[in-house]
């Protein structure tokens, strides 16, 4: 009797996206999240704050508006947006403008990483001259990720395997030291991204901006690959090298 061996299917990956505010993941990485889930992976979105003070201007125009109600609305928007992409959503509710880099909150984020054990982590770049919260979010994620993967005395920490680490495209890439090293073709999930963006009514003015940005990056991805079928893409910058068997 002849037996044949098959190459085992790759393990399902886990994608963790951490944003300073509840809508950040939608503009910068919704397409990548949808593609990851479509390929069989699991995705979790974490918002460190709701952006209730600094990113909810449309909501504050309503008479009698309260901070707690803004948070409630923003939570619902982010949950529905995540559902469009097949991801789960969790909010830390740490308070925005300014987001504070607190040790206990880093420990909380590290605990989540140990439990979820992401294979890929996405967050903000470390520089943003116009937003005080985005670099703080990066610092928190960077520290939590190092603690999770065993920085320090490994035996003193519960660890998880090292993840890939990338930052997503900021609003002003040329002012944030962002140089794309990865393009994700989101053509087949672009309608999902649009549906997720449409949920973010507190910042509806950004929907057209990021739809156009996806078209721009799609053009760049076509130039890089010669693949004419690419229409929309998202850009990311890798912070740690990826390891391959061959080039």
């Amino acid at each position: 009797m002849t037996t044949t061996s098959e190459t085992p299917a790759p393990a399902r990956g886990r994608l963790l996206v951490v944003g300073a505010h509840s809508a950040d993941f939608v503009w910068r990485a919704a397409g990548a999240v949808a593609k990851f889930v479509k390929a069989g992976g699991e995705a979790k979105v974490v918002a460190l704050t709701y952006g209730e003070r600094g990113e909810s201007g449309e909501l504050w125009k309503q008479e009698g508006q309260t901070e707690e109600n803004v948070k409630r609305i923003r939570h619902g928007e982010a949950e529905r947006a995540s559902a469009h992409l097949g991801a789960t959503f969790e909010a830390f509710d740490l308070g925005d403008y300014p987001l504070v880099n607190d040790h206990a909150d880093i420990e909380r984020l590290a605990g989540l990483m140990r439990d979820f054990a992401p294979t890929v982590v996405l967050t903000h770049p470390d520089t943003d001259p116009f937003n005080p919260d985005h670099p703080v979010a990066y610092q928190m994620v960077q520290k939590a990720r190092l603690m999770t993967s065993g920085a320090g005395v490994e035996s003193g920490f519960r660890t998880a395997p090292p993840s890939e680490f990338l930052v997503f495209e900021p609003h002003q890439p040329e002012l944030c030291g962002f140089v794309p090293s990865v393009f994700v073709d989101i053509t087949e999930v672009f309608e999902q991204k649009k549906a997720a963006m449409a949920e973010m009514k507190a910042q509806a003015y950004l929907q057209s901006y990021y739809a156009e940005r996806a078209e721009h990056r799609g053009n760049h991805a076509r130039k890089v690959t010669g693949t004419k079928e690419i229409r929309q893409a998202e850009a990311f910058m890798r912070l740690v090298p990826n390891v391959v068997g061959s080039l």
Side-chain angles (χ1 to χ4, degrees):
M1 181 177 180
T2 303
T3 60
T4 59
S5 61
E6 296 182 356
T7 302
R12 293 177 62 219
R14 288 173 298 279
L15 171 65
L16 177 65
V17 186
V18 182
H21 313 107
S22 58
D24 288 335
F25 77 98
V26 172
W27 317 123
R28 280 94 179 191
V33 172
K35 283 290 291 283
F36 197 91
V37 174
K38 189 178 181 67
E42 181 182 356
K44 177 184 285 290
V45 173
V46 171
L48 298 178
T49 84
Y50 286 115
E52 66 274 8
R53 288 159 50 89
E55 307 215 337
S56 305
E58 291 302 309
L59 297 178
W60 284 106
K61 293 177 182 178
Q62 300 173 18
E63 187 175 352
Q65 187 63 274
T66 66
E67 188 169 302
E68 285 307 308
N69 192 51
V70 169
K71 290 181 181 181
R72 181 187 62 79
I73 293 171
R74 295 277 289 189
H75 188 98
E77 289 180 345
E79 252 188 352
R80 292 190 296 273
S82 299
H84 283 297
L85 311 174
T88 58
F89 173 74
E90 182 172 340
F92 275 27
D93 192 14
L94 302 182
D96 67 320
Y97 289 84
L99 170 64
V100 177
N101 191 346
D102 183 84
H103 177 75
D105 298 325
I106 295 169
E107 287 278 10
R108 179 182 174 188
L109 184 58
L112 182 149
M113 288 184 178
R114 292 183 186 108
D115 292 339
F116 187 60
T119 53
V120 183
V121 174
L122 302 179
T123 192
H124 300 270
D126 64 356
T127 303
D128 192 325
F130 298 118
N131 193 300
D133 292 351
H134 292 172
V136 175
Y138 165 82
Q139 293 163 13
M140 294 176 68
V141 173
Q142 189 258 357
K143 290 177 182 178
R145 179 183 172 275
L146 287 177
M147 291 170 59
T148 302
S149 60
V153 181
E154 186 172 347
S155 61
F157 295 89
R158 185 165 60 93
T159 62
S163 66
E164 294 190 57
F165 191 25
L166 300 92
V167 295
F168 43 59
E169 183 166 16
H171 197 74
Q172 301 90 6
E174 63 278 4
L175 300 178
C176 299
F178 179 86
V179 180
S181 56
V182 177
F183 289 118
V184 176
D185 174 11
I186 65 168
T187 306
E188 66 176 328
V189 296
F190 188 53
E191 291 304 313
Q192 287 176 257
K193 173 162 183 163
K194 288 169 62 177
M197 291 194 298
E199 296 290 354
M200 297 300 177
K201 296 177 175 58
Q203 292 175 284
Y205 59 93
L206 288 177
Q207 294 175 25
S208 59
Y209 178 91
Y210 280 99
E212 291 173 5
R213 173 56 66 180
E215 301 281 350
H216 299 158
R217 290 311 191 185
N219 176 63
H220 298 158
R222 287 196 301 276
K223 298 278 189 188
V224 170
T225 62
T227 304
K228 296 180 180 179
E229 291 75 20
I230 299 176
R231 308 315 306 170
Q232 294 88 17
E234 289 172 342
F236 302 88
M237 184 169 73
R238 192 180 292 279
L239 297 184
V240 295
N242 63 322
V243 178
V244 298
S246 63
L247 295 178

